[in-house]
Amino acid sequence: MVTEKRVNSTNDTCETFCFDENKVNRMQPKINKVEGVEQIFKALADATRLKIAYALTLEKELCVCDVAHIIGCTKATASHHLRLLRNMGLAKYRKEGKLVFYSLEDEHIHQLVTIAIVHAKEGVGSGE
């Protein structure tokens, strides 16, 4: 059953308020599967962390010093952002003597970053 109600709107919204009860009932139980996912996007929404994640898609593993030089920041800043990525479950690290090497946590993160880069290069359309 479709419920309908008249509302004032702009061109980018429906001119009437209606919804498909069957779709809504089918989707509502599933929609909470997104819980926790926002943290991934929140972590990658920072330009510095996104640059680091992108660098780690291009090179499987980088030490903190490499990351600092690649993105043009101090070792302390690179360490801070890498630690945050690690704490968010997006990156992992290993120590080798006095060096610390970082890599992306898994292929899923690699794919997310790569797809976002490809999408951005294609350009954002008007949505029409």
Side-chain angles (χ1 to χ4, degrees):
M1 177 180 163
V2 176
T3 305
E4 189 173 322
K5 178 183 172 186
R6 274 276 200 216
V7 292
N8 293 331
S9 65
T10 61
N11 290 338
D12 63 348
T13 62
C14 296
E15 292 183 26
T16 63
F17 178 75
C18 65
F19 62 94
D20 185 320
E21 227 176 306
N22 290 329
K23 286 181 185 176
V24 170
N25 290 337
R26 196 170 56 248
M27 294 299 296
Q28 277 183 331
K30 298 175 184 179
I31 204 69
N32 287 335
K33 288 184 180 182
V34 303
E35 287 182 16
V37 176
E38 73 277 4
Q39 294 302 318
I40 294 170
F41 289 103
K42 187 182 225 181
L44 295 174
D46 178 84
T48 301
R49 289 190 293 274
L50 183 57
K51 287 176 186 175
I52 292 169
Y54 181 55
L56 291 170
T57 68
L58 300 174
E59 192 67 38
K60 184 177 177 167
E61 187 177 70
L62 294 167
C63 84
V64 175
C65 300
D66 291 335
V67 170
H69 278 84
I70 289 166
I71 65 170
C73 69
T74 65
K75 191 170 69 169
T77 298
S79 291
H80 167 76
H81 287 287
L82 284 160
R83 191 175 311 110
L84 208 153
L85 288 170
R86 186 185 80 225
N87 291 340
M88 300 294 287
L90 305 181
K92 57 188 174 185
Y93 78 102
R94 69 175 182 87
K95 287 190 87 161
E96 189 175 298
K98 294 183 179 186
L99 300 176
V100 178
F101 292 89
Y102 277 85
S103 59
L104 293 177
E105 180 62 39
D106 58 34
E107 185 60 25
H108 296 114
I109 303 305
H110 187 284
Q111 289 175 11
L112 274 174
V113 173
T114 302
I115 289 168
I117 297 295
V118 169
H119 179 73
K121 285 182 182 176
E122 289 175 352
V124 178
S126 63
E128 293 180 22

